[in-house]
Amino acid sequence: MQSAGDGLPDAGPGTATDRRVRRRLLHRAARLFPAVVARRLARRYLQASPRAPLDPSDTRGGMRLIALGEDTSVLRHPAREGTTAPRRILLVHGHDGNIRQFVRLIRALQNAGAEVDGLILPGHSGGARTVCSMATMVRAIQRTVGALGPYDGIIGHCVSANALLFALDEGLRAGRVVFVSCPIELRTLIRLGGRQYGIGGACLESFVQRVSALGAPYLAETPWRPLAQRRHEPMLAVHSRHDYAAPVEDMQSLQATWPGARMVVVENGGHNTIVNRAPAIKSITAFLTEG
């Protein structure tokens, strides 16, 4: 399973036999101690996979790493040389995602005359694996816009789009908004993550509640429709027809609820791979740089 940007658990290290043994032990423990197992899995679910940290001295293409504190940083990609008054775009990767996923999209935006700040969420820059909950993501977005904004547009991938919706409802300003592969029904995504661990029944329900609680006050059960109905920013939803983690029908409901929102459905992309598909890149770039 591709873990980058989807917030879903990976299979873990070791041989296939090792994984089968661990899974049997997990199933047994989940039946005997559902609340304990759910609590531990919820924290693991909200931790990003280990990766090599970005090098602050790497300035290829004019990139610059900007530390904002609280394990939050931005990788700034300048606009194409000679661009005057570039559009300023904030790009937020998904949970367990990586800014390197978006190289083609960033390059397209740069070529269209935009400066792109790639937000690196807490727990995603290497080093210790810390919990990155919905509350963590909302605060990171707010912190970045407060320090480096305003932005002409903000892109949120996967659950970062949900976090962006919460932040907008609390007064965050953005000229335009793009939601990519947004799992607007968060409990559905979390339940899918729990099932990939192989848990069910009381343990699965406890897992969903625990993941939601770790993101307080931005709970997974918070109704999203009132938040969307209050929006006024131009919004583009970009979604894959066959997104396994977030049904396209849910995003069609969001597009119908958000006043004036547009939607592009990509036929040959997945939850993560959509960000490298030409139709998605072209649509996002045009939407954020038009006019």
Side-chain angles (χ1 to χ4, degrees), residues 7-283:
L8 301 176
D10 56 31
T15 66
T17 301
D18 293 335
R19 290 193 292 271
R20 284 196 297 269
V21 170
R22 286 201 301 269
R23 183 155 293 232
R24 284 199 295 268
L25 292 174
L26 174 63
H27 291 173
R28 184 176 301 173
R31 289 193 299 270
L32 295 174
F33 312 104
V36 174
V37 171
R39 184 168 60 251
R40 293 187 177 182
L41 287 181
R43 295 189 66 84
R44 176 181 170 183
Y45 177 78
L46 294 175
Q47 292 173 335
S49 303
R51 59 174 53 89
L54 293 172
D55 183 359
S57 65
D58 186 353
T59 57
R60 288 174 296 175
M63 291 189 307
R64 182 161 64 100
L65 188 63
I66 305 171
L68 299 177
E70 295 188 8
D71 196 23
T72 303
S73 57
V74 158
L75 188 61
R76 175 162 292 172
H77 303 77
R80 184 177 55 193
E81 188 174 350
T83 302
T84 59
R87 299 289 178 92
R88 304 196 65 242
I89 307 300
L90 178 64
L91 169 61
V92 191
H93 62 75
H95 187 269
D96 203 20
N98 192 318
I99 201 64
R100 298 183 182 96
Q101 289 174 270
F102 303 90
V103 170
R104 291 186 63 192
L105 174 59
I106 291 172
R107 186 179 300 122
L109 288 166
Q110 288 177 296
N111 290 337
E115 174 184 87
V116 183
D117 280 355
L119 172 56
I120 302 168
L121 293 169
H124 291 73
S125 58
R129 296 182 68 183
T130 57
V131 168
C132 183
S133 68
M134 185 57 63
T136 307
M137 291 184 281
V138 173
R139 288 195 297 267
I141 294 171
Q142 292 170 330
R143 183 180 185 85
T144 303
V145 174
L148 302 177
Y151 288 99
D152 298 296
I154 303 180
I155 306 168
H157 179 237
C158 192
V159 291
S160 289
N162 299 71
L164 178 54
L165 179 58
F166 282 121
L168 289 167
D169 195 60
E170 292 187 348
L172 187 85
R173 294 186 178 276
R176 291 178 173 237
V177 177
V178 179
F179 284 8
V180 182
S181 301
C182 174
I184 194 65
E185 298 289 354
L186 277 171
R187 290 178 65 86
T188 300
L189 179 73
I190 298 169
R191 185 169 283 106
L192 174 61
R195 290 198 182 106
Q196 289 201 345
Y197 282 124
I199 60 175
C203 187
L204 178 59
E205 293 310 309
S206 182
F207 170 82
V208 173
Q209 292 299 327
R210 184 59 183 168
V211 171
S212 176
L214 286 169
Y218 311 105
L219 303 178
E221 54 268 28
T222 302
W224 58 263
R225 283 182 173 80
L227 278 63
Q229 289 168 346
R230 290 195 286 266
R231 300 313 329 138
H232 55 81
E233 303 86 357
M235 190 274 274
L236 174 68
V238 180
H239 215 79
S240 169
R241 176 78 66 189
H242 308 290
D243 191 328
Y244 71 94
V248 68
E249 294 80 12
D250 292 345
M251 280 308 293
Q252 290 169 334
S253 297
L254 174 63
Q255 184 255 338
T257 304
W258 188 305
R262 311 179 201 175
M263 184 169 182
V264 171
V265 178
V266 177
E267 299 296 336
N268 59 343
H271 185 73
N272 294 294
T273 58
I274 188 174
V275 299
N276 288 309
R277 293 293 185 264
I281 293 172
K282 183 177 179 180
S283 298

